[in-house]
Amino acid sequence: MRVGLRAKVVLVALVLSVIPLLGYVHVKQMEKLLRDGQEQALLATARAIATALHDRPQLLELRAGQPASGEMELILKSLSRADSRIWIVDQHQRLLALAGDLKKRSADEPSPDMVTRLVRPVASLVLERPTEDFDDSLPEEEIANGPVAASALSGVPTRRWRQSSDSRAVILSASHPVWAGDEVVAAVVAEETTNAPRSAYNRAMEQVVAVTLVAFLAGAVTLLAFASRLSIRLRRLRDEAEAAIDSQGRVRKLLHGSAAGDEIGDLSRSFSTALERLAQYNAYLEHMAGRLSHELRTPIAVVRSSLENLKLAQPEEASVYLARANDGLRRLDTLLTRMSEATRLEQLVRSESRERFDARDMVRGCTYAYPAKKFEVELPERPVWLRGAPDLYAQMLDKLVANAADFSTGDEPIRIRLDARAGEATLTVSNRGPRLPEAMAGKLFESMVSVRGANSGTEPHLGLGLYIVRLIAEFHGGTAEALDREDGSGVVLKVRTPLDQA
């Protein structure tokens, strides 16, 4: 069965919320059972004493100037409960005997454990602590007109809860009649406070609070571990997604979809499927240029050969149209060549072997292809060693110089400078001309991006020149950037590559 992340968190929260509720219900039930047990025990005590005095009226006679019967006091002491008070009243509301004490004399409460001691200050704010500092005197109205004694004197055993005279304790009273034949001659009343059940209730509540805190702590640790696991899974998925696609948008490796049945597992599998389809589409795009070039070159060759034959057969008046057709074929052939060049270069930089070379040798011959332009070349005296492919570096430099020659205006020479410092080689190509368009900031080195006009020059441009520059710069571990001159008179193209320190 599939269990989602939200359901897991809700289940943990429900388990934690049920713990204190169950504990409270259990403690309240336990308190009720203790009170019922105390009532039954106290009523049994009164019944036992009344049974011992049954049909023995001589023990209940009260003579002037003489104490109560010693045998009766012995019965009271032998049958009474600890921390209880027992008194006997006759039909004339005279107190015949009184024995015991309601106050607790011995501290036999077990010592709490460490967790209970820790939660006791908090529990004391809610729980009512029983006290032994209360007025335990026997009120006169309880003897003369008390409902407990009156009920027993009428022959009906009863029990009753009442407050002490200072309202600081709750006293339970249980009574039973003493029979002499068919007549009730006296009533036995046994009394106890509810301090013992209340203390047990408080101890149980403290334990419930302690168990609840421990459960909440365990639940918090569980939730923290659960959240940490989710965070780790999400970070792993993020890292895999970032590593799957490089800066050029190519899929370098596919994700391994998670086998988990929750939402993160679904997301991982969806990413894996999307990347797989994207990789297939990228492969299709990468091979499309080669297939397109192959498919178009055949009809171009047919058209070229037909035009050449037509040139030989047609009169001279048709030479203008033939020249235009040949020029169009040449431009189309150039476009296909440059598309194939970019595709081959992308594949080449992935597998090209590297060697150590002096970048100055590449820079010295970069100006020979443009005799109509003026150049200033500045090279350092010491070798500038790089590790990479010298042919690719020369091709990169040719694209930079061609770009500068296309945009250069006026008689100011194109400045080419190679510098090496702080473990880095900087190749700079600067020319006077128009500034960089603000809309193209950061986009000039992307594929199929060009700032040339629609009718600029006779050569077609696909916007692949600076894209090739970036590919070669990254192959050598460097970066390429385009900046305006500080005085705003032109553009500076810079390529930074790390030096080979070997």
Side-chain angles (χ1 to χ4, degrees):
M1 183 181 69
R2 173 176 171 175
V3 180
L5 301 178
R6 185 179 302 174
K8 293 178 181 178
V9 175
V10 170
L11 286 176
V12 174
L14 287 178
V15 171
L16 293 180
S17 63
V18 166
I19 291 176
L21 178 61
L22 291 178
Y24 177 77
V25 172
H26 172 72
V27 172
K28 293 299 290 185
Q29 187 69 20
M30 183 191 70
E31 183 188 25
K32 183 177 182 301
L33 293 176
L34 288 176
R35 284 176 176 260
D36 292 342
Q38 187 181 26
E39 289 181 359
Q40 297 298 328
L42 201 61
L43 190 58
T45 300
R47 183 186 302 112
I49 296 175
T51 302
L53 298 176
H54 181 65
D55 289 335
R56 303 176 69 180
Q58 67 276 7
L59 298 179
L60 303 175
E61 292 181 359
L62 187 63
R63 297 180 177 85
Q66 295 182 4
S69 172
E71 185 178 355
M72 184 171 60
E73 291 185 0
L74 181 61
I75 292 174
L76 294 181
K77 290 181 180 180
S78 61
L79 296 179
S80 64
R81 291 157 47 90
D83 304 325
S84 64
R85 179 175 62 191
I86 299 174
W87 47 280
I88 302 175
V89 62
D90 62 7
Q91 287 285 3
H92 303 289
Q93 287 84 37
R94 295 177 300 178
L95 184 64
L96 302 179
L98 177 64
D101 189 0
L102 293 179
K103 293 186 177 181
K104 192 175 182 179
R105 290 184 293 272
S106 59
D108 55 353
E109 182 178 352
S111 59
D113 54 18
M114 183 180 67
V115 179
T116 305
R117 287 198 300 269
L118 291 177
V119 302
R120 176 161 290 181
V122 179
S124 298
L125 301 176
V126 181
L127 299 177
E128 180 182 355
R129 296 287 176 183
T131 178
E132 298 298 329
D133 184 15
F134 65 93
D135 184 8
D136 65 340
S137 61
L138 181 60
E140 184 66 27
E141 60 270 14
E142 283 295 319
I143 300 174
N145 300 313
V148 177
S151 177
L153 289 174
S154 64
V156 180
T158 190
R159 54 185 180 270
R160 172 176 173 257
W161 300 87
R162 66 178 177 86
Q163 294 282 342
S164 62
S165 58
D166 57 359
S167 300
R168 304 188 67 179
V170 178
I171 300 174
L172 171 63
S173 302
S175 63
H176 198 279
V178 180
W179 296 86
D182 295 333
E183 296 182 359
V184 177
V185 296
V188 178
V189 180
E191 294 181 331
E192 280 186 2
T193 64
T194 59
N195 287 354
R198 192 67 188 179
S199 298
Y201 170 81
N202 289 344
R203 288 195 300 271
M205 285 300 298
E206 289 173 352
Q207 292 175 356
V208 168
V209 173
V211 171
T212 301
L213 291 179
V214 171
F216 279 5
L217 180 61
V221 172
T222 302
L223 287 177
L224 179 61
F226 180 65
S228 300
R229 182 172 177 270
L230 292 184
S231 177
I232 292 173
R233 292 175 62 192
L234 290 174
R235 283 200 301 267
R236 185 186 301 118
L237 182 59
R238 179 204 61 191
D239 295 340
E240 290 180 354
E242 291 179 352
I245 301 178
D246 60 13
S247 58
Q248 285 79 39
R250 300 189 193 90
V251 179
R252 293 188 292 186
K253 62 179 181 179
L254 298 178
L255 286 178
H256 298 290
S258 174
D262 53 18
E263 289 83 350
I264 297 181
D266 292 341
L267 181 62
S268 175
R269 289 186 291 272
S270 298
F271 274 166
S272 178
T273 303
L275 285 174
E276 184 177 359
R277 295 174 181 173
L278 183 60
Q280 295 173 357
Y281 185 67
N282 281 346
Y284 166 76
L285 293 179
E286 290 176 355
H287 293 90
M288 184 180 67
R291 289 194 295 267
L292 183 62
S293 176
H294 175 74
E295 295 295 333
L296 290 180
R297 286 190 187 278
T298 299
I300 287 175
V302 174
V303 173
R304 180 180 287 113
S305 62
S306 300
L307 289 176
E308 290 176 354
N309 294 332
L310 182 62
K311 183 178 180 181
L312 297 175
Q314 294 294 329
E316 295 182 358
E317 288 79 5
S319 60
V320 176
Y321 302 104
L322 292 173
R324 290 180 181 178
N326 282 320
D327 182 63
L329 287 173
R330 182 182 59 81
R331 291 172 65 90
L332 183 58
D333 186 65
T334 302
L335 285 173
L336 293 174
T337 301
R338 292 183 178 176
M339 288 175 60
S340 301
E341 178 187 18
T343 302
R344 288 195 302 271
L345 182 62
E346 290 177 353
Q347 297 173 354
L348 183 63
V349 294
R350 302 176 193 174
S351 59
E352 181 70 10
S353 60
R354 302 174 186 269
E355 62 180 87
R356 193 168 186 256
F357 66 93
D358 187 359
R360 297 181 304 170
D361 298 336
M362 308 297 110
V363 179
R364 289 190 182 101
C366 68
T367 62
Y368 297 152
Y370 304 91
K373 294 291 184 178
K374 296 180 181 179
F375 292 90
E376 286 185 4
V377 181
E378 183 179 349
L379 300 175
E381 297 181 356
R382 304 182 64 180
V384 181
W385 295 108
L386 302 179
R387 181 162 295 277
D391 294 339
L392 293 180
Y393 196 87
Q395 185 178 0
M396 176 189 71
L397 185 58
D398 178 66
K399 298 297 181 183
L400 292 173
V401 174
N403 184 83
D406 289 343
F407 288 96
S408 178
T409 59
D411 296 332
E412 182 177 331
I414 298 173
R415 295 182 174 88
I416 303 174
R417 180 181 179 184
L418 181 64
D419 190 18
R421 64 180 62 183
E424 187 178 68
T426 304
L427 175 64
T428 305
V429 179
S430 174
N431 66 276
R432 174 177 290 276
R435 303 181 62 179
L436 293 173
E438 295 182 2
M440 289 296 173
K443 298 181 179 179
L444 286 178
F445 293 93
E446 296 181 2
S447 178
M448 310 296 283
V449 174
S450 177
V451 296
R452 292 177 173 84
N455 299 319
S456 59
T458 59
E459 293 291 330
H461 297 280
L462 294 177
L464 296 173
L466 294 182
Y467 173 65
I468 292 175
V469 169
R470 192 193 75 183
L471 287 179
I472 298 176
E474 292 176 350
F475 171 76
H476 289 84
T479 57
E481 62 177 338
L483 305 170
D484 288 324
R485 283 184 173 182
E486 293 182 357
D487 57 2
S489 62
V491 176
V492 178
L493 298 178
K494 291 185 179 181
V495 176
R496 293 184 174 90
T497 51
L499 295 173
D500 184 21
Q501 305 293 346

